[in-house]
Structures are given as C-alpha cells and as structure tokens.
Amino acid sequence: MLVQGKKVLLTGGSRGIGRALVLGYLREGASVWYLGRSRGGDEYEGAAREQGLRVVFRECDVADEEALGAAAKDAMKEAGGFDVLVNNAGITRDGLSLRMAMKDWHDVIATNLTAAFVLSKLVVQDMFMKKIPGAVVNISSIVGVTGNGGQVNYSASKAGLIGLTKSLAREVAPRNIRVNAVAPGFIRTAMTDRLTEDQKKALAAQIPMVRLGEPEDVARAALFLSCDLSSYITGHVLHVTGGLGM
Ligand code: NAP
C-alpha cells in the first residue's frame, strides 16, 4: 500500500477527480478528510470500513476564506495533523476575455488559486510544527502551461497554482515537505461533460493517445507524488494528458 497509515486532506471530493482521489487514497491505506460544498457517495464509507480507515466530510465553500480556514482547523484538530494535502477543488467560468465579467474572474481565482494558498499555509505550518515529512499536491491543468482561448481566468488560476507550487516547494524543501502539481489534460468528469460528443471527438483527435483521460489517471499521479515512490521529487509539474501539450 502506497500511503498506509497516512492522513490526507483534500478539497472537492464529491465527484470527478475528487471521487477518484478519495477512493484511491482509501484503497492505498490512508484515512481521508475532504472539504467541499457537497458530500460524495455512500461508497466512500463502505471503502473506508473495509480497510478499517476513516473518511470524514466537512462542508465548506473553499472560496470563502474564513469558512475554509475554520473547516481546515477543525479537520486538523480531529486528525491530529495531515501527511498529505491535495488542492483539487476547481471551477470554470469560460468566456472570451473582452467580454468576461469581473465576477467570473474573481470566482475562478478565489476557488482555484486563493483557496489553495489559504489551505497550504495552514496545513504546511502544522506539518512544520509537528515535523511531518509531508506532501502537497496541487491539481493544476495543462491550460495553465499552454493557455487556452476562452479560459483566461481558468488558465491564469492554474498557471498561478504552478507558480505557487514551485515557490512553496523551494521554501519548505529543507523541512522535507514536498510540493508538486499535476497538470491534467482533458479528463472525463462533469467539467468536460458539457462538451458535445463532436467536441469530444475533435479534442481526442488532438491528443496523441487519441482519448480523453479518466479521473483515475489523475488520482494515480497524485498518489505517486504523495508517497515515497517520489521521495526526491519536488516543485515538479506532472502532465497527465495522454501527450497533449508536450
Ligand atoms: P468537477 O467534477 O466539476 O468537480 C469539481 C470539484 O470541486 C467538486 O467536488 C466540487 O464540489 C468542488 N468545488 C468546486 N467549487 C467548490 C467550492 N467553491 N468549494 C468547495 N468545493 C468546490 O471537476 P473535476 O474535473 O473533477 O475537477 C477537479 C480538478 O481538476 C479541478 O481543479 C479542475 O480544474 C482540475 N482539472 C480538471 C480537468 C478535466 O478535464 N476534468 C482538466 C484539468 C484540470 P461541489 O460542487 O460538490 O462543492
């Protein structure tokens, strides 16, 4: 088991990549606390029980800094500290730059970037104090590397997350805390479900592996970056894109 006995805090565990993360960490032996606006399926409790592990949901809107801080502190107190933090919650509010409402800019930056900073600050400080050799994994996106028309807010938030990852990685590396990012390409979740079948086919045609990714493809990369298999890797951005954007 890759993360046996570890405690993981993650955001946005209700569905999609977050669901694959919760089930992936449980399968590999970790207890999971997840923060979000809605809870995941009953399957989580079943998977935890099978392994004698815990899965705990704390309701909060990660874009609300105060609520996020309170929920994280509550979870840290209950868990007694986390070995792994995964900043996964994210939204899109697409539109062309020249027509983009400022609310769509601020909502995306608050959810995708500021929340990751708020949470990393709290959890990493706790790792410092408890001398935990921790791992932070930020779920960025390939469009944070390449840019994408119609997604100036989303791309900026995901590029910001990469800057945050590399800067924080430099600051905490001497304490044996590693900070990495995963940059998924197009993954089959609610976020991409709104595309038509024709749009999905056109997208797949641009991907060297000629298919969209699955949430589990991303969860496996996050697991790798959270465990000892990646013990000498920090400040890295791992593309999980089927070759898109290489
Ligand atoms: P998704 O199915 O839409 O899930 C998003 C998750 O984030 C949900 O659990 C949602 O929970 C949570 N969330 C959103 N806003 C929140 C808020 N304000 N407070 C708390 N939780 C919030 O999307 P996904 O595809 O799994 O995306 C997961 C991450 O991967 C995101 O950061 C996304 O940007 C990134 N990503 C996805 C793709 C892709 O192709 N799917 C590609 C690259 C990167 P509730 O709505 O239940 O609160």
Side-chain angles (χ1 to χ4, degrees):
M1 285 194 179
L2 295 176
V3 282
Q4 190 156 27
K6 305 271 187 206
K7 289 174 190 160
V8 177
L9 178 64
L10 63 88
T11 59
S14 62
R15 58 172 190 265
I17 291 170
R19 172 181 173 275
L21 287 166
V22 172
L23 293 174
Y25 281 107
L26 289 173
R27 193 184 54 245
E28 294 298 335
S31 285
V32 177
W33 275 253
Y34 69 102
L35 311 178
R37 292 174 303 191
S38 50
R39 152 193 311 276
D42 294 340
E43 57 184 335
Y44 293 0
E45 274 76 24
R49 216 174 306 121
E50 251 173 45
Q51 309 260 23
L53 299 168
R54 297 189 68 189
V55 61
V56 182
F57 171 65
R58 287 278 173 270
E59 188 180 339
C60 92
D61 178 344
V62 301
D64 178 339
E65 283 174 43
E66 254 179 55
L68 176 60
K73 282 180 192 158
D74 189 38
M76 285 193 300
K77 200 168 162 196
E78 193 183 345
F82 288 105
D83 305 281
V84 177
L85 166 65
V86 187
N87 287 303
N88 166 69
I91 55 167
T92 52
R93 294 282 182 272
D94 297 352
L96 293 173
S97 305
L98 302 188
R99 288 199 214 126
M100 184 171 288
M102 284 312 294
K103 180 164 172 34
D104 290 340
W105 171 268
H106 288 304
D107 285 354
V108 168
I109 298 294
T111 306
N112 297 6
L113 181 57
T114 309
F117 174 64
V118 169
L119 205 51
S120 301
K121 204 173 158 192
L122 280 171
V123 174
V124 169
Q125 197 168 44
D126 195 57
M127 287 171 173
F128 257 53
M129 279 171 4
K130 296 188 170 127
K131 296 191 168 44
I132 296 171
V136 179
V137 181
N138 293 318
I139 308 298
S140 177
S141 166
I142 191 63
V143 306
V145 180
T146 60
N148 197 22
Q151 289 198 307
V152 68
N153 49 358
Y154 183 76
S155 310
S157 72
K158 295 300 186 179
L161 210 42
I162 291 173
L164 183 160
T165 299
K166 293 184 178 183
S167 303
L168 184 60
R170 287 177 185 275
E171 289 179 10
V172 301
R175 304 280 191 128
N176 208 16
I177 297 170
R178 300 180 300 106
V179 187
N180 290 289
V182 177
F186 292 99
I187 310 297
R188 263 180 215 286
T189 68
M191 202 173 260
T192 47
D193 267 358
R194 60 187 74 127
L195 299 171
T196 64
E197 278 312 307
D198 281 351
Q199 284 172 319
K200 283 184 197 163
K201 269 192 201 148
L203 268 179
Q206 298 167 35
I207 300 170
M209 288 183 76
V210 214
R211 67 167 176 89
L212 271 65
E214 299 299 329
E216 291 71 21
D217 292 321
V218 180
R220 278 192 290 272
L223 267 160
F224 166 70
L225 291 171
S226 317
C227 76
D228 286 346
L229 290 177
S230 60
S231 55
Y232 200 51
I233 299 176
T234 196
H236 186 68
V237 183
L238 182 54
H239 292 198
V240 181
T241 63
L244 184 74
M246 71 170 130

